[in-house]
């Protein structure tokens, strides 16, 4: 790729893997608005839509492990989102998480490079910092992946970076945990979980004492950032790992709770203090992101996003039945498929 080349809107062909996921279904309409020519690639595990997703782009329904050169024909850039996403998903089978998240990502990137794709953006996660030893972690800090999911992201980052060169721009977005409403809504993410628990049960039980730190970002802000990563000069991001988020959104669980209570005031909060299964705690430094994209400001604060989410969920009368249906929790959906033998043990559709 020419030094400093960039990919702005009209006519640029972007393949988005995981386009029918929580983030993908918000990102796609924004890409279309900017006149990118979009192809989605997704095995379509999560069919539940609480709002219809866009139909005005090409969709390939296939497993990422079987992607071929033909699927990449004419593609200029890839935003790679497909994954067994989030920490609990690794519980299904850690080696499967590695196969789908790590091995197939590296295979995809190599195939992309060979076939003339010029830019590859990878959706990594700040959860790889685990319980951080330092007060605030930066891209130079040691990582401490506590789950198969986090490990798959570390392994992928390491191998993708090696592929970056002047013809193949690799940008690694180490994303904060996402919150906010989406047509493919999930309630297995911390903020969304607290909001839906409060709506469904009017009681939230917190396994920690509420002090663990999390970097958080709204789904619309993150989607816009992905698009900025497409159009920025390649030299600014190529071969770099970049923490994605905003300083003011390093928050403690108790901060989230206080906003949830603002919009769902009848909700009772119980701190059990067990620290539960999820012991991650980390504050993240976003200096690198800010220095490359000084013009990007947060639009969807946690407060604004929780207000919006609560309003939309109330409108659709989200309640106990919806919560208990498990339709908004990825691990539940996949476990149902496994139990019903809709998929093989290694998660291929039968
Ligand atoms: N949501 C977050 O808080 C967050 C934070 C940091 C990073 N990320 C990363 O961003 C990406 C998107 O996350 P999301 O929240 O939208 O996840 P998601 O689970 O909602 O979406 C992932 C999509 O990938 C698809 N998929 C899964 N396995 C596949 C396979 N074998 N072949 C083809 N498609 C497959 C699923 O059908 C789904 O539509 C993931 O890589 C995730 O790890 C997410």
């Amino acid at each position: 790729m020419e030094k400093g080349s960039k990919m702005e809107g009209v006519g640029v062909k972007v393949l988005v893997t995981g386009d029918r996921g929580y983030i993908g279904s918000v990102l796609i309409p924004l890409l279309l608005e900017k006149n990118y020519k979009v192809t989605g690639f997704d095995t379509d595990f999560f069919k539940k839509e609480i709002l219809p997703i866009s139909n005005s782009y090409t969709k390939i329904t296939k497993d990422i492990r079987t992607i071929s050169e033909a699927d990449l024909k004419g593609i200029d850039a890839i935003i790679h989102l497909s994954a067994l996403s989030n920490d609990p998903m690794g519980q299904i089978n850690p080696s499967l998480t590695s196969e789908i998240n790590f091995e197939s990502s590296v295979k995809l990137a190599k195939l992309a490079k060979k076939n003339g794709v010029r830019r590859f953006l990878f959706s990594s996660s700040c959860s790889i910092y685990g319980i951080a030893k330092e007060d605030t972690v930066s891209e130079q800090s040691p990582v401490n992946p506590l789950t198969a999911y986090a490990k798959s992201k570390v392994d992928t980052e390491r191998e993708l970076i090696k592929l970056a060169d002047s013809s193949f721009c690799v940008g690694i977005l180490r994303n904060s945990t996402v919150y906010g409403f989406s047509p493919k809504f999930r309630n297995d993410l911390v903020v969304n979980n607290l909001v839906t628990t409060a709506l469904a049960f009017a009681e939230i039980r917190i396994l920690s004492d509420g002090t663990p730190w999390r970097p958080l970002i709204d789904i619309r802000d993150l989607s816009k950032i992905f698009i900025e990563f497409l159009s920025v000069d390649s030299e600014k991001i190529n071969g770099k790992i970049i923490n994605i988020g905003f300083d003011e959104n390093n928050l403690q669980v108790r901060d989230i709770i206080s906003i949830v209570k603002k919009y769902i005031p009848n909700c009772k909060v119980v701190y059990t203090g067990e620290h539960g299964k999820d012991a991650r705690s980390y504050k993240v430094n976003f200096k690198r992101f800010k220095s490359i994209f000084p013009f990007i400001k947060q639009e969807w604060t946690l407060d604004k996003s929780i207000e919006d989410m609560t309003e939309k969920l109330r409108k659709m009368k989200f309640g106990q039945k919806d919560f208990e249906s498990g339709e908004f929790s990825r691990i539940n959906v996949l476990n149902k498929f496994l139990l019903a033998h809709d998929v093989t043990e290694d998660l291929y559709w039968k």
Side-chain angles (χ1 to χ4, degrees):
M1 185 182 302
E2 310 245 321
K3 207 173 164 214
S5 75
K6 39 178 160 181
M7 305 204 151
E8 252 153 334
V10 189
V12 174
K13 290 189 182 143
V14 185
L15 181 85
V16 180
T17 70
D19 60 297
R20 277 148 270 175
Y22 171 65
I23 297 172
S25 58
V26 170
L27 170 64
I28 295 288
L30 297 181
L31 282 168
L32 294 173
E33 249 173 53
K34 298 258 176 198
N35 295 313
Y36 284 96
K37 286 198 83 178
V38 181
T39 301
F41 188 107
D42 198 308
T43 193
D44 213 3
F45 278 145
F46 308 106
K47 294 190 171 54
K48 173 87 180 170
E49 290 171 18
I50 56 179
L51 279 180
I53 63 165
S54 173
N55 265 328
S56 42
Y57 67 102
T58 308
K59 291 180 190 154
I60 301 173
T61 303
K62 257 173 86 172
D63 193 290
I64 194 71
R65 289 166 286 182
T66 65
I67 196 160
S68 68
E69 297 199 351
D71 298 315
L72 300 180
K73 206 160 170 247
I75 297 295
D76 299 304
I78 295 180
I79 299 181
H80 181 39
L81 302 177
S82 74
L84 292 183
S85 171
N86 94 1
D87 292 287
M89 296 274 280
Q91 290 161 11
I92 289 185
N93 176 346
S95 67
L96 204 51
T97 294
S98 174
E99 186 181 308
I100 293 175
N101 293 10
F102 165 50
E103 289 165 36
S104 68
S105 299
V106 178
K107 177 185 153 198
L108 169 66
K110 286 185 174 162
L111 206 62
K113 187 171 176 176
K114 187 172 158 222
N115 283 275
V117 174
R118 288 175 292 138
R119 190 167 293 207
F120 191 94
L121 303 177
F122 176 59
S123 190
S124 187
S125 167
C126 281
S127 77
I128 66 177
Y129 293 119
I131 300 181
K133 294 199 176 73
E134 299 163 39
D135 179 44
T136 303
V137 287
S138 75
E139 293 85 351
Q140 286 83 34
S141 305
V143 294
N144 183 12
L146 300 174
T147 59
Y149 168 73
K151 189 168 181 309
S152 77
K153 294 290 185 191
V154 174
D155 292 343
T156 310
E157 287 186 354
R158 185 192 60 235
E159 294 306 312
L160 291 186
I161 293 283
K162 293 181 192 164
L163 299 174
D165 64 19
S166 58
S167 67
F168 190 62
C169 171
V170 176
I172 310 259
L173 293 86
R174 224 177 236 180
N175 298 321
S176 298
T177 299
V178 185
Y179 58 78
F181 193 78
S182 159
K184 292 288 189 94
F185 186 72
R186 311 272 181 251
N187 72 352
D188 50 12
L189 295 155
V190 60
V191 174
N192 298 7
N193 182 265
L194 293 172
V195 169
T196 50
T197 305
L199 283 173
F201 305 105
E203 179 175 307
I204 300 177
R205 294 176 73 79
I206 305 288
L207 298 181
S208 72
D209 59 359
T211 58
W213 289 92
R214 282 301 153 75
L216 300 166
I217 189 164
D218 180 81
I219 189 162
R220 290 147 284 202
D221 283 328
L222 178 61
S223 298
K224 283 188 188 151
I225 292 168
F226 268 111
I227 294 175
E228 294 294 344
F229 266 74
L230 278 180
S231 57
V232 71
D233 279 353
S234 58
E235 67 196 76
K236 295 201 174 160
I237 59 161
N238 196 6
K240 289 187 188 153
I241 292 173
I242 304 167
N243 290 334
I244 304 295
F246 302 98
D247 293 334
E248 62 272 31
N249 260 18
N250 273 311
L251 294 167
Q252 288 178 293
V253 173
R254 59 186 176 198
D255 300 325
I256 309 170
I257 298 280
S258 69
I259 301 176
V260 173
K261 275 199 69 91
K262 180 172 162 192
Y263 294 105
I264 312 173
N266 67 336
C267 170
K268 194 173 130 202
V269 179
V270 184
Y271 288 95
T272 71
E274 299 156 49
H275 212 72
K277 288 180 232 151
D278 186 355
R280 295 169 302 164
S281 180
Y282 44 93
K283 264 196 276 181
V284 176
N285 169 322
F286 299 108
K287 278 200 185 112
R288 183 175 285 175
F289 170 59
K290 250 202 275 188
S291 73
I292 304 172
F293 299 95
F295 53 91
I296 299 184
K297 303 279 178 267
Q298 172 169 235
E299 280 181 39
W300 286 85
T301 60
L302 185 64
D303 192 303
K304 183 173 162 187
S305 186
I306 288 183
E307 183 181 21
D308 168 76
M309 194 188 329
T310 309
E311 203 182 294
K312 288 181 172 141
L313 291 170
R314 277 200 173 117
K315 231 181 232 164
M316 59 174 271
K317 302 197 180 342
F318 187 98
Q320 196 170 338
K321 236 168 107 191
D322 298 294
F323 194 103
E324 287 170 349
S325 73
E327 284 179 305
F328 301 100
S329 150
R330 285 166 282 204
I331 195 157
N332 278 343
V333 171
L334 290 189
N335 275 330
K336 259 192 198 162
F337 289 149
L338 284 165
L339 270 174
H341 301 285
D342 291 332
V343 292
T344 62
E345 274 179 13
D346 44 5
L347 294 180
Y348 284 103
W349 289 114
K350 279 193 177 163

